[in-house]
Amino acid sequence: MINKKWYKYGLIGLVSVVLSACASSVVDERYQAKGQDSRVKYVVIHYTWEDMPNSLRILTEGEVSAHYLISDDEPARVLQLVDETQRAWHAGLSQWKSDVNLNANSIGIEMVNLGSRQSGQAVPAESSGWQPFTSSQIERLIVLLKDIQARHGIPAENILGHSDIAPQRKVDPGPLFPWQWLAQEGLGRWYDENRVTELMQQYRQTGLPSVLDVQKQLRQIGYMIELTAEMDKQSKNVLRAFQMHYRPSRYDGVLDVETAAILRDLSR
């Protein structure tokens, strides 16, 4: 027969031990270190190359993902697919300045847009036929970027395109993405037009800078490029990515006075 008195006090003791163990496992969050900042350093913008249903399916069921997806509806919607504390698989093999594999320290935003896709076929980057982004998409993107920038302290120059961080294999968000509009909102870099006009005149008189100088200037901005002193394939791809971002009226990867002037201004 169980002694009720011992059973009662034994049960109380057991409960006390359990509660004590639980209490000891609770993290004390009363203190916060001053020396800290956000792990997020970059925002990378993409286009999906698919319509909305396929974009959502691929980004939720496939091996690629992004923190946010902006639809092409009217009005555009912002869908969060990955929590910002988690790593999304959007950047792949990538580099900007000394940072590599930017999945670890970036937020990825996918814009529903077919890019240069026509009739299910990929159109070469030099061809026409790019799909424009809607005003509603860009307006929603601007609001989202300002919120992300404020929360993570991201510098304006660290808002980039996929083609900026992976110029050898990516062209998104393409030449129709309105980088200048974003820059006017404090969300990216842009060049000084007066300074560029002066530099263009200078290059017309003195000739274009050397290939090595161009490569050094591209690297100074942040692009991943080898210093070969030759206008090789990798250099043309990087120059094309630069042109798509800052001089999208022509993005053939060929150096001209306007590209050289913009590059010189931005690499100061």
Side-chain angles (χ1 to χ4, degrees):
M1 182 175 180
I2 298 174
N3 187 309
K4 294 183 178 179
K5 179 178 179 182
W6 287 111
Y7 175 79
K8 174 182 177 182
Y9 288 110
L11 183 60
I12 292 173
L14 177 62
V15 171
S16 298
V17 169
V18 171
L19 290 176
S20 176
C22 291
S24 64
S25 67
V26 174
V27 176
D28 189 339
E29 298 179 344
R30 289 177 296 171
Y31 308 98
Q32 289 292 311
K34 181 180 180 180
Q36 62 176 300
D37 57 15
S38 173
R39 293 178 182 269
V40 178
K41 295 177 62 177
Y42 303 98
V43 176
V44 182
I45 300 171
H46 311 253
Y47 63 52
T48 60
W49 208 54
E50 297 285 352
D51 60 20
M52 179 60 186
N54 280 328
S55 297
L56 188 57
R57 176 182 58 81
I58 292 169
L59 290 170
T60 56
E61 300 177 11
E63 293 299 312
V64 63
S65 60
H67 294 90
Y68 297 97
L69 173 65
I70 299 183
S71 74
D72 58 351
D73 305 338
E74 288 293 339
R77 294 174 292 140
V78 178
L79 288 71
Q80 184 168 15
L81 307 181
V82 177
D83 191 272
E84 290 182 10
T85 61
Q86 298 292 103
R87 181 186 311 192
W89 301 348
H90 65 97
L93 181 63
S94 53
Q95 181 172 343
W96 190 253
K97 296 186 177 179
S98 61
D99 290 316
V100 298
N101 299 324
L102 267 64
N103 280 341
N105 57 5
S106 67
I107 289 175
I109 301 175
E110 290 274 4
M111 311 280 290
V112 175
N113 183 284
L114 297 181
S116 60
R117 189 172 182 174
Q118 294 179 332
S119 303
Q121 300 296 319
V123 179
E126 290 77 14
S127 302
S128 60
W130 295 81
Q131 181 182 14
F133 296 88
T134 69
S135 295
S136 181
Q137 282 182 303
I138 303 304
E139 288 165 358
R140 292 303 302 270
L141 174 64
I142 287 171
V143 173
L144 176 61
L145 285 174
K146 287 185 175 181
D147 177 56
I148 293 172
Q149 186 183 52
R151 287 187 287 105
H152 294 282
I154 298 173
E157 61 267 24
N158 285 2
I159 297 174
L160 304 165
H162 202 183
S163 56
D164 293 316
I165 64 171
Q168 304 305 325
R169 59 188 186 87
K170 294 295 181 179
V171 296
D172 58 310
L176 296 188
F177 186 79
W179 288 109
Q180 186 175 8
W181 182 0
L182 264 63
Q184 290 170 347
E185 295 286 339
L187 301 168
R189 296 188 68 193
W190 203 249
Y191 54 86
D192 183 322
E193 295 184 5
N194 292 331
R195 169 72 171 159
V196 165
T197 299
E198 294 174 1
L199 288 169
M200 287 175 64
Q201 183 61 32
Q202 176 182 322
Y203 285 134
R204 289 191 184 100
Q205 296 173 353
T206 64
L208 293 171
S210 70
V211 173
L212 183 58
D213 283 341
V214 168
Q215 291 172 334
K216 288 179 178 179
Q217 289 169 9
L218 287 166
R219 180 179 281 191
Q220 176 67 27
I221 291 172
Y223 288 92
M224 177 174 54
I225 187 170
E226 295 181 19
L227 303 181
T228 63
E230 297 180 2
M231 190 53 73
D232 45 22
K233 183 178 179 180
Q234 60 108 21
S235 299
K236 290 180 180 178
N237 287 342
V238 175
L239 194 60
R240 183 182 67 175
F242 176 83
Q243 290 170 330
M244 292 178 78
H245 193 134
Y246 295 105
R247 208 281 305 275
S249 60
R250 178 180 164 191
Y251 47 94
D252 53 7
V254 175
L255 185 67
D256 54 35
V257 293
E258 185 178 18
T259 302
I262 295 171
L263 178 57
R264 174 79 176 277
D265 181 64
L266 290 172
S267 62
R268 289 185 296 175

